Amino acid sequence: MKRDRNYKILALKIAAPVIAMILAALISSLIILAIDKNPLQVFYTMFKFSFSRLDSIAIIFFNATPLIFSALAVSIGFKMGLFNIGIEGQYLIGTFLAALVGFSLKGLPAAIHLPLVIMAGIAGGMLWSFIPIFLKVKRGVHEVISTIMLNYVAYSLIHYLIADVFKDKQQSLVEGLGSVLVRTPKLAESALIPKMHGFLSIFGIQLPKHVYLNWFFPIGILLAVGIYYLVSYTPFGYELRAVGHNPEASKIAGIKPDIVYLKGFLLSGAVAGLVGLSDLLGYFKYMDMDFPQGYGFDGIAVALIAQNNPFGIIASAMLFGFLKRGSEGIQALLKVPMDTIVILQSLMIIFIVVITKIINDYVKRLEKKEAA
Amino acid sequence: MEEAVVLKNITKRFPGIVANDRVNLQIQKGEIHAIVGENGAGKSTLMKILAGLYQPDEGEIYIFGKKEKIASPNKAIELKIGMVHQHFMLIDRFTVLENIILGAEKKKGIAIDKKTCRQTIKKLLDLYNFNLDLDAKLEDISVGHAQRVEIIKVLYRGADILVLDEPTAVLAPQEVDELFVNLRRLKEEGKTIIFISHKLDEVLNIADNITVLRRGKAVGTVSADSVTKEELAKMMVGKPVLMKLDKAAAEKSDVKLSLHNIVMKGNGGKNSLNGVSLEVCGGEIYGIVGVEGNGQKELAEAVIGLRQDYQGDIKVCGKPIHGLSIKQIRDSGVAFIPEDRHRQGLVLPMKVWENSILGFHRKDKFKKGMFINIKKAEEFTLNNVKEFSIMISSIHQEIEGLSGGNQQKVILSRELSQEPEVILAAQPTRGLDIGAMEFVHRQLLQKRQEGKAILLISADLEEVLSLSDRIGVIFDGEIVAEFAPEEKTLEDIGVYMLGAHRKAGESA
Amino acid sequence: MKIRKLLALSLVILLVLGLTTGCGQKAEPKKDEKEQQEQKPEEKKIKVGLVYDIGGRGDLSFNDSAYAGLKRAEQEFGLEVTDLEPSSGGEDREQLLRLLAEDGYDLIFGVGFMFTDHIAKVAEEFPDVKFGLIDGAVEDIDSSSNISCLLFKEHEGSFLVGAAAALKSKNGKVGFIGGMKSPLIERFEYGYLAGAKYVNPDIETFSDYVGTTGEAFKDPVKAKELALKQIKAGVDVIYHASGASGVGMLEAAAANKVLAIGVDSDQSLTATDEQKPYILTSMLKRVDNSVYETIKDLVEGRFEGGYRVFGLNDDGVGYAVNDFNKDLISDIQPKLEELKEKVVNGEIKVPADKNEYEEFLKTLK
């Protein structure tokens, strides 16, 4: 009987995201029907477009990359019971500092320049996470409030810096007309992250040129593994979890929760500082006013679905990457309007988060009974 | 005589455990029937079945002679069964009246007809001789009064059968007496009372009949007049229990913990500690008793370093510790058994082995490079588990799943294994069953034998009396009396606990 | 814990499987397409795609104007057309362009200068596909390129509506509300201010910007607030270059019974009935014409790369006259036509940025 139950728990855990996706797809079908399209065709196209093309698969990996970093950063906060909603601001600042180091230093070898740029990104994220945690530890300001506020400050600050201070003045207006991009100068070649094309070609995988999959993807995977070990097997990770579950007991045991909060939040910020770098160093090569936003919030959803498990985060980030790529496909091939796609994506995400949560709670109850 | 409740062959299974195994129970109308048993014996499950919270897998329930199925708590109320929970389900901000009528308001149109409600409740209060101010906010009344509110609440809903779950756990001796007066009055009026407890003295005092549960089975029902405490304990545990601890004389050595004139500010301008001085020597147990909220908590927090905002000196083995961090104080040889295991002692969602090294996880013996030496930590835990006979299925189990006694043993083993000189034990047996309680007591006595200094803070008078070499009564942040246990009677101590200069009985 | 690992692993495996199967199939569909193209090139409809900027369709302004041009050409030449919209961050602009190119589209427009780099990249990958870039300029291209950059002298059109504003203002105060602060929108601003000052050097001018990001083009609430602020200061003719945000300004103007000037499309046509009487005119930026002309060139085999400038001289910019405003504007129309002539023949050089504007002001004194 006990064994049966174990299998049941296992099956449910695996089934959770699948059931969630099926339910989400069913509800979404109503919306697709409402715009006079065939849901089966839409989903078929979405899958076929996403998984039958090499470039699509690589693009899913590329899409997942920033979300892996973002969700890892969120999960570190969650582990110690803090809600870091400030990933958004932290990665914008991190990305900007990385860009600054990338375009202002010239003539360095890549082996020095690239690490410097990455360190600048990390420093930016840490800087922006230090403010809210300092306020929390010293003044008791709730981190949710301060991080949200600092997101806005970061947006505005970055825009000011790009539009007014570091705007690329080298761009010329042809015939004095049109408009130049409001962006930083381009980063030096030595600051850019290499793509994975060369490495993958060793295995006979020839990625098309327009794929931007770069080494930040494996870095993200390694980081996930590293964070898994850090949280599960080091004294610091131990303290992180202890404080996260019970700050009072931890304090009485001689752990200083404030110190743990400070270190943990800085770590979260450091990881957040890497969120934008795959796009910056592997795709845009400059930072403009339009630099992708929202990874911080998507990261929260990714972490929720993955229940803060680093390996789960990789999987759920891939899921988000797929949703994005798949919707490009149905927009271009089936002319599904963007608004519908936005609704579809949001529904999918909400359903998956809610349903996995429900199923996981159920599994938890089963496990509790098991233990009793 | 009519039977209010009859249970026949009630069986309730949970995965891997039979919580109630063919339990038979007969409760006469108008009696006070106690159900005793160790934690995990199945008392709560049985009562939850009666309250409609669980459904039995097998068996039949008869209420006032009729076979019934109690499918929901509402159905239980319909059958005039009322549950008074151990943790009050009341709202602090509401008045007593509002709390009583909440969820069962009499309506006049859409408005609550408070007047009618008040009249009804007044009648109840007069009938049962309850003393309650209906307009007081709940947050302003004492625990004993809050409990009366709970009782009136179920009576207001028309209950004829009252189930009280560990009602005395939160009360001072005088308050317990008042409760018993109330219960006897209820009995006189024909109410049936089911009284769940593991405090044998109380049970023998109040109950007419006593049913003992052990490991899900009803091992017997006895009349309170015909049984002794020792016999009851034996029925509960299944083997003879040493009721009197044999306390060998211990070698008293130097002062290891000393507090000198500790003053700490409390809420509302009143000092929570008002010049506490005491000394505990090696080989001595110093017991502190008092009604809860008189500074016990603050005292413990000052010694362990959780609070630094006090004046005065605390010395451990002669060295002042004011200003040291909790970690430094612990490293200087202070072990702490906190009063609230779940909030202060354990990290519930973490594993047994992880909880076993809490606070010592950075010690060199648990280190392997930058990682925790899990093998060492597991060995350490397994050793503790053996030494303290902790019942677990695996050290990788989350500690949440353990019984209270086993959780407390994990804390005890963790704290005592570090060879402390001073042991600060706050309510170390709260909520534990007799077996576990006895174990904790023996451990403390053994440490005393080994020459450690033990400061025991407990609300359980009997415990303090039987363990301590000296006793201090704390009232309003002061030690108002200090004596050896044999010098005073229980009643004398109760008077001190309620304030030496006050009239006894004016408990609030 | 183990189970989650398993889950992650299985997903990765799934993806890798997809990766390998993807390899095998990659080359095939392209071949099909080529064959199709070779077999029956005559019967194949010309396919034209258009990717909007963020905000997309329904801004009653810039993007809608491009759509109008596309529709007109579709009807006239029997094309197959598609219009797409990037996701809110806009980071998939490039992917959308590429997907259209892959799908065999002959001409693809990117509406807005944000497309500059993306079009440059994709155009290089698909040398046989033509691209139209509106408002942006890819550097160093000539007529042999497959990119045609469609540029507008917005300052010239703005000059005329600025003059109209000054001629109609009773308080001697005219206002301007820009969307995202950028050289492009500044051209609207300084052209407008120059036109107003040219007619009445003593006129007081007000300028405000909604913001510094693309969001500034879809924030009608903020635009309305700015407009109300200016109206409170006495402004009685107000002009915007703020895309969909301008709706807010139109509301504010109608509510306070002051005149408003629309932008890009003829906004009298899309405004509510309450607003119509207060719309003096609109500065027309004929994005629709540019889109239409580019498609027409392609259909007729005359497509040329490089830069194509639309100004007052070829009606690429202008001001709107319609049934709703003809009474309002008829008295100043002769004056506006006279000014237009002067701009076209070079007598007036309209400033396009701050420096030129300051120079321009000096010539007025």
Side-chain angles (χ1 to χ4, degrees):
Chain A
M1 185 176 136
K2 194 164 182 171
R3 174 155 293 191
D4 284 356
R5 194 172 295 277
N6 276 336
Y7 282 129
K8 192 177 170 192
I9 290 172
L10 181 76
L12 272 174
K13 277 192 172 170
I14 294 174
V18 180
I19 297 172
M21 281 178 77
I22 292 172
L23 276 177
L26 282 177
I27 302 284
S28 314
S29 298
L30 296 178
I31 293 174
I32 298 170
L33 283 172
I35 56 157
D36 243 4
K37 304 269 181 201
N38 177 354
L40 286 179
Q41 194 195 7
V42 167
F43 290 120
Y44 175 74
T45 308
M46 208 165 163
F47 276 93
K48 182 160 181 254
F49 176 76
S50 301
F51 297 115
S52 73
R53 298 167 46 133
L54 181 60
D55 63 340
S56 285
I57 289 159
I59 286 170
I60 288 172
F61 283 60
F62 173 74
N63 288 345
T65 307
L67 297 178
I68 292 174
F69 290 106
S70 164
L72 285 175
V74 173
S75 74
I76 295 169
F78 275 141
K79 288 276 179 205
M80 54 183 178
L82 298 187
F83 218 134
N84 184 2
I85 306 192
I87 310 290
E88 194 74 12
Q90 287 150 22
Y91 89 74
L92 283 178
I93 298 288
T95 310
F96 179 78
L97 280 191
L100 184 65
V101 173
F103 66 71
S104 51
L105 298 179
K106 290 200 173 65
L108 289 174
I112 296 172
H113 201 179
L114 180 58
L116 274 181
V117 168
I118 294 175
M119 266 148 49
I122 292 173
M126 287 174 86
L127 171 74
W128 219 244
S129 66
F130 175 74
I131 303 170
I133 202 59
F134 180 79
L135 289 175
K136 183 186 176 70
V137 169
K138 283 282 163 203
R139 287 264 161 266
V141 179
H142 200 288
E143 77 279 1
V144 168
I145 309 285
S146 56
T147 49
I148 290 180
M149 291 307 172
L150 280 166
N151 284 345
Y152 291 111
V153 177
Y155 286 138
S156 306
L157 184 63
I158 293 303
H159 288 142
Y160 165 70
L161 290 171
I162 294 176
D164 293 336
V165 184
F166 292 103
K167 187 173 147 189
D168 186 6
K169 305 249 165 49
Q170 305 295 316
Q171 302 180 85
S172 60
L173 270 180
V174 179
E175 316 227 343
L177 296 176
S179 183
V180 294
L181 293 168
V182 184
R183 61 161 171 84
T184 66
K186 293 210 171 171
L187 274 60
E189 279 297 320
S190 52
L192 303 179
I193 187 89
K195 290 185 180 187
M196 290 188 74
H197 292 52
F199 173 75
L200 289 175
S201 66
I202 298 172
F203 305 100
I205 301 171
Q206 303 292 347
L207 290 182
K209 199 177 149 228
H210 66 262
V211 168
Y212 299 96
L213 182 62
N214 57 59
W215 283 95
F216 273 111
F217 179 74
I219 291 175
I221 306 274
L222 284 179
L223 192 67
V225 175
I227 285 175
Y228 172 77
Y229 276 95
L230 177 83
V231 170
S232 306
Y233 298 114
T234 66
F236 173 64
Y238 176 93
E239 289 176 0
L240 212 63
R241 285 181 292 135
V243 169
H245 289 305
N246 192 341
E248 193 176 342
S250 307
K251 194 173 177 184
I252 286 172
I255 299 168
K256 289 182 176 153
D258 284 351
I259 302 287
V260 175
Y261 285 145
L262 183 74
K263 286 187 192 164
F265 222 72
L266 284 179
L267 177 66
S268 174
V271 176
L274 297 168
V275 169
L277 297 192
S278 165
D279 278 331
L280 177 76
L281 308 179
Y283 177 42
F284 290 105
K285 302 178 176 133
Y286 52 74
M287 189 174 186
D288 68 357
M289 306 270 267
D290 234 22
F291 193 83
Q293 292 174 358
Y295 288 147
F297 298 114
D298 289 349
I300 294 173
V302 171
L304 274 178
I305 292 176
Q307 308 235 328
N308 300 319
N309 176 295
F311 302 105
I313 281 174
I314 296 172
S316 72
M318 297 279 198
L319 176 70
F320 274 61
F322 154 69
L323 282 179
K324 191 169 166 199
R325 180 59 179 170
S327 50
E328 280 166 22
I330 56 175
Q331 197 191 7
L333 301 176
L334 297 179
K335 324 282 182 247
V336 176
M338 188 61 200
D339 303 323
T340 315
I341 290 169
V342 170
I343 296 172
L344 274 184
Q345 281 182 329
S346 322
L347 268 182
M348 287 268 184
I349 292 166
I350 291 170
F351 268 87
I352 292 168
V353 170
V354 171
I355 295 171
T356 33
K357 172 90 181 122
I358 290 172
I359 295 180
N360 280 316
D361 283 356
Y362 178 67
V363 166
K364 248 213 170 129
R365 274 209 301 279
L366 277 186
E367 281 174 335
K368 274 247 170 75
K369 279 188 183 172
E370 183 79 1
Chain B
M1 210 183 205
E2 199 190 349
E3 276 157 345
V5 179
V6 175
L7 302 182
K8 278 191 184 159
N9 287 323
I10 294 291
T11 300
K12 177 71 185 172
R13 295 185 198 90
F14 291 113
I17 194 168
V18 183
N20 288 148
D21 189 0
R22 283 163 292 162
V23 172
N24 287 301
L25 187 63
Q26 291 182 0
I27 297 171
Q28 309 298 326
K29 182 170 184 296
E31 73 163 329
I32 297 180
H33 194 114
I35 297 185
V36 298
E38 292 194 283
N39 285 354
K43 295 175 303 208
S44 298
T45 307
L46 200 61
M47 288 310 113
K48 280 177 181 164
I49 288 173
L50 212 48
L53 292 163
Y54 287 158
Q55 301 306 311
D57 297 325
E58 288 162 26
E60 293 161 359
I61 302 173
Y62 296 85
I63 305 293
F64 295 117
K66 257 178 69 190
K67 190 176 170 188
E68 300 282 359
K69 197 168 175 294
I70 310 175
S72 69
N74 283 338
K75 177 75 183 174
I77 292 168
E78 224 174 273
L79 294 170
K80 300 187 180 300
I81 302 170
M83 187 91 179
V84 176
H85 294 275
Q86 184 177 3
H87 301 283
F88 303 148
M89 316 243 172
L90 299 171
I91 299 170
D92 278 353
R93 292 269 162 152
F94 280 18
T95 64
V96 169
L97 178 76
E98 287 164 337
N99 266 296
I100 292 172
I101 63 175
L102 186 69
E105 304 91 345
K106 290 197 170 64
K107 300 274 176 64
K108 200 157 85 184
I110 55 162
I112 296 170
D113 186 356
K114 274 201 186 170
K115 216 171 144 191
T116 316
C117 294
R118 181 184 293 271
Q119 282 165 0
T120 318
I121 295 168
K122 268 267 186 267
K123 265 186 218 151
L124 285 174
L125 291 180
D126 291 344
L127 180 60
Y128 300 114
N129 232 341
F130 274 42
N131 178 17
L132 263 182
D133 176 6
L134 290 181
D135 296 315
K137 284 253 168 65
L138 204 83
E139 56 197 356
D140 298 330
I141 66 177
S142 70
V143 184
H145 282 88
Q147 193 170 50
R148 282 181 211 168
V149 175
E150 278 279 9
I151 296 173
I152 290 293
K153 212 170 116 182
V154 298
L155 291 173
Y156 178 72
R157 283 157 179 73
D160 279 334
I161 301 166
L162 275 79
V163 183
L164 287 91
D165 188 7
E166 304 265 3
T168 60
V170 286
L171 303 179
Q174 271 75 3
E175 288 176 320
V176 172
D177 290 344
E178 284 171 36
L179 171 70
F180 285 1
V181 170
N182 289 145
L183 292 184
R184 289 198 181 98
R185 175 81 192 131
L186 285 168
K187 180 183 149 187
E188 278 168 31
E189 291 300 323
K191 303 283 178 194
T192 308
I193 293 163
I194 304 175
F195 186 95
I196 301 170
S197 181
H198 60 254
K199 291 190 182 165
L200 300 181
D201 286 323
E202 289 171 7
V203 165
L204 286 168
N205 181 347
I206 186 80
D208 300 313
N209 289 300
I210 303 166
T211 298
V212 180
L213 290 185
R214 188 168 79 227
R215 293 198 190 143
K217 289 187 179 136
V219 291
T221 300
V222 292
S223 148
D225 307 332
S226 64
V227 73
T228 66
K229 197 175 162 189
E230 281 72 20
E231 286 165 343
L232 264 186
K234 194 181 157 197
M235 283 171 83
M236 265 168 74
V237 183
K239 60 174 192 220
V241 179
L242 223 59
M243 290 314 289
K244 275 274 174 247
L245 291 151
D246 57 325
K247 208 164 75 179
E251 197 76 11
K252 218 165 127 177
S253 65
D254 307 342
V255 173
K256 293 209 167 162
L257 173 69
S258 75
L259 282 74
H260 182 69
N261 207 9
I262 306 298
V263 177
M264 191 193 283
K265 282 244 153 48
N267 292 331
K270 224 172 100 183
N271 283 345
S272 52
L273 290 180
N274 208 356
V276 171
S277 298
L278 59 87
E279 287 183 340
V280 190
C281 301
E284 182 187 39
I285 297 181
Y286 186 108
I288 289 185
V289 296
V291 174
E292 246 172 89
N294 275 292
Q296 297 95 318
K297 189 165 156 268
E298 289 78 5
L299 184 65
E301 286 176 348
V303 174
I304 194 64
L306 203 55
R307 284 186 68 170
Q308 302 279 1
D309 55 336
Y310 60 84
Q311 286 146 23
D313 290 327
I314 301 178
K315 286 184 184 150
V316 170
C317 300
K319 286 190 208 108
I321 59 164
H322 198 173
L324 296 185
S325 72
I326 297 173
K327 189 165 182 304
Q328 286 167 323
I329 292 173
R330 286 173 150 275
D331 286 346
S332 70
V334 180
F336 182 40
I337 299 159
E339 63 169 280
D340 188 333
R341 295 191 273 291
H342 290 175
R343 276 184 44 221
Q344 302 176 311
L346 298 168
V347 184
L348 290 178
M350 287 170 74
K351 293 167 182 166
V352 173
W353 74 263
E354 289 175 317
N355 273 289
S356 280
I357 61 167
L358 182 65
F360 310 107
H361 55 280
R362 281 194 187 271
K363 287 258 183 309
D364 284 340
K365 60 178 171 179
F366 296 132
K367 239 186 201 166
K368 193 168 89 183
M370 58 180 291
F371 293 105
I372 291 177
N373 190 337
I374 295 187
K375 225 178 106 204
K376 282 271 175 61
E378 286 174 358
E379 274 169 21
F380 171 76
T381 309
L382 283 172
N383 201 31
N384 281 347
V385 165
K386 220 172 86 195
E387 201 177 316
F388 284 75
S389 42
I390 305 173
M391 304 290 287
I392 50 170
S393 56
S394 154
I395 57 167
H396 294 282
Q397 188 184 350
E398 284 173 8
I399 203 149
E400 232 164 339
L402 265 53
S403 73
N406 283 312
Q407 289 177 342
Q408 190 73 342
K409 282 181 181 176
V410 171
I411 296 180
L412 219 57
S413 68
R414 174 180 81 204
E415 297 295 325
L416 301 187
S417 66
Q418 303 302 322
E419 296 303 323
E421 285 306 313
V422 174
I423 298 163
L424 176 59
Q427 320 290 1
T429 60
R430 175 171 282 180
L432 299 189
D433 56 49
I434 292 188
M437 201 185 270
E438 198 195 336
F439 184 88
V440 173
H441 288 165
R442 266 204 309 250
Q443 285 294 329
L444 290 178
L445 286 175
Q446 192 195 326
K447 287 293 156 188
R448 166 176 171 269
Q449 220 66 35
E450 288 170 16
K452 316 294 186 195
I454 299 166
L455 182 61
L456 171 68
I457 301 173
S458 175
D460 187 339
L461 262 179
E462 252 182 89
E463 174 174 271
V464 175
L465 284 171
S466 61
L467 285 178
S468 306
D469 298 300
R470 267 187 307 148
I471 293 174
V473 179
I474 193 165
F475 177 77
D476 247 357
E478 269 176 86
I479 302 281
V480 290
E482 198 178 287
F483 43 82
E486 55 278 2
E487 288 172 17
K488 301 275 188 223
T489 65
L490 212 59
E491 281 65 36
D492 292 341
I493 298 174
V495 171
Y496 282 120
M497 281 168 69
L498 293 171
H501 312 295
R502 287 189 176 191
K503 274 182 280 170
E506 203 188 57
S507 64
Chain C
M1 208 67 111
K2 258 182 204 154
I3 293 135
R4 289 189 198 137
K5 264 188 236 171
L6 208 81
L7 216 143
L9 193 73
S10 51
L11 212 124
V12 171
I13 290 172
L14 197 86
L15 287 169
V16 172
L17 273 178
L19 200 87
T20 42
T21 51
C23 286
Q25 294 175 353
K26 194 192 91 190
E28 287 165 34
K30 273 201 174 153
K31 213 184 273 171
D32 284 351
E33 267 169 36
K34 259 185 195 160
E35 276 170 10
Q36 269 178 2
Q37 275 175 344
E38 281 162 23
Q39 275 171 0
K40 22 187 173 174
E42 305 300 320
E43 288 169 38
K44 199 180 154 274
K45 271 188 181 175
I46 289 179
K47 290 166 85 174
V48 179
L50 188 145
V51 185
Y52 297 112
D53 205 347
I54 315 170
R57 280 276 300 286
D59 64 350
L60 302 181
S61 190
F62 191 65
N63 285 300
D64 279 352
S65 183
Y67 179 71
L70 182 70
K71 277 288 162 195
R72 193 171 131 210
E74 180 190 15
Q75 277 158 15
E76 206 160 307
F77 307 118
L79 312 166
E80 187 184 333
V81 303
T82 283
D83 52 315
L84 303 180
E85 190 184 331
S87 62
S88 63
E91 65 269 20
D92 57 355
R93 289 189 186 95
E94 183 178 328
Q95 291 302 346
L96 293 177
L97 291 173
R98 180 172 293 110
L99 287 173
L100 289 175
E102 277 178 10
D103 208 23
Y105 280 75
D106 302 284
L107 171 60
I108 301 162
F109 289 94
V111 184
F113 66 88
M114 292 290 200
F115 281 91
T116 309
D117 284 16
H118 309 300
I119 283 198
K121 271 184 198 161
V122 180
E124 199 185 325
E125 287 166 39
F126 296 91
D128 297 334
V129 180
K130 310 290 184 217
F131 293 88
L133 171 60
I134 293 163
D135 266 355
V138 176
E139 285 174 45
D140 302 325
I141 53 170
D142 57 25
S143 58
S144 65
S145 161
N146 59 338
I147 304 172
S148 176
C149 302
L150 311 172
L151 303 167
F152 296 85
K153 293 183 174 170
E154 296 90 353
H155 47 301
E156 292 187 354
S158 299
F159 183 84
L160 290 191
V161 298
L167 290 169
K168 280 288 176 185
S169 173
K170 297 192 180 89
N171 298 351
K173 289 176 181 173
V174 296
F176 170 80
I177 291 170
M180 164 178 158
K181 195 161 174 61
S182 65
L184 171 64
I185 302 302
E186 279 172 10
R187 258 199 318 278
F188 288 84
E189 179 188 358
Y190 292 113
Y192 175 75
L193 299 182
K197 289 275 187 192
Y198 185 83
V199 194
N200 176 5
D202 297 327
I203 204 154
E204 207 177 326
T205 61
F206 295 77
S207 286
D208 283 297
Y209 279 86
V210 175
T212 54
T213 68
E215 294 288 316
F217 289 115
K218 41 179 183 178
D219 190 351
V221 177
K222 179 91 184 284
K224 185 172 182 177
E225 259 174 48
L226 293 173
L228 288 174
K229 189 192 85 181
Q230 293 189 357
I231 292 166
K232 216 172 179 187
V235 167
D236 58 357
V237 186
I238 186 165
Y239 169 50
H240 84 97
S242 62
S245 305
V247 177
M249 184 207 78
L250 296 180
E251 279 173 20
N256 290 281
K257 304 194 186 330
V258 302
L259 293 174
I261 300 172
V263 79
D264 295 343
S265 327
D266 186 347
Q267 294 200 285
S268 294
L269 306 179
T270 49
T272 64
D273 288 342
E274 293 81 51
Q275 292 165 3
K276 274 172 183 157
Y278 299 101
I279 299 179
L280 173 61
T281 180
S282 296
M283 196 293 275
L284 299 177
K285 175 172 172 180
R286 302 302 298 265
V287 175
D288 52 342
N289 278 357
S290 72
V291 169
Y292 172 81
E293 291 290 336
T294 310
I295 297 172
K296 192 177 170 202
D297 284 356
L298 181 81
V299 172
E300 292 170 356
R302 291 190 280 111
F303 179 91
E304 266 190 15
Y307 312 103
R308 189 155 173 192
V309 178
F310 297 85
L312 271 181
N313 55 338
D314 50 7
D315 286 330
V317 294
Y319 63 97
V321 182
N322 53 45
D323 286 350
F324 306 107
N325 74 351
K326 59 179 186 238
D327 297 338
L328 204 53
I329 202 171
S330 56
D331 58 328
I332 58 169
Q333 239 176 311
K335 176 73 180 169
L336 296 180
E337 286 304 317
E338 180 196 322
L339 288 172
K340 178 180 171 182
E341 197 49 44
K342 281 186 179 169
V343 174
V344 170
N345 66 28
E347 205 173 306
I348 299 171
K349 194 181 173 304
V350 181
D353 59 29
K354 201 175 177 191
N355 291 338
E356 287 181 19
Y357 176 62
E358 275 158 10
E359 289 301 313
F360 179 81
L361 287 185
K362 282 177 200 156
T363 65
L364 292 181
K365 281 163 192 171

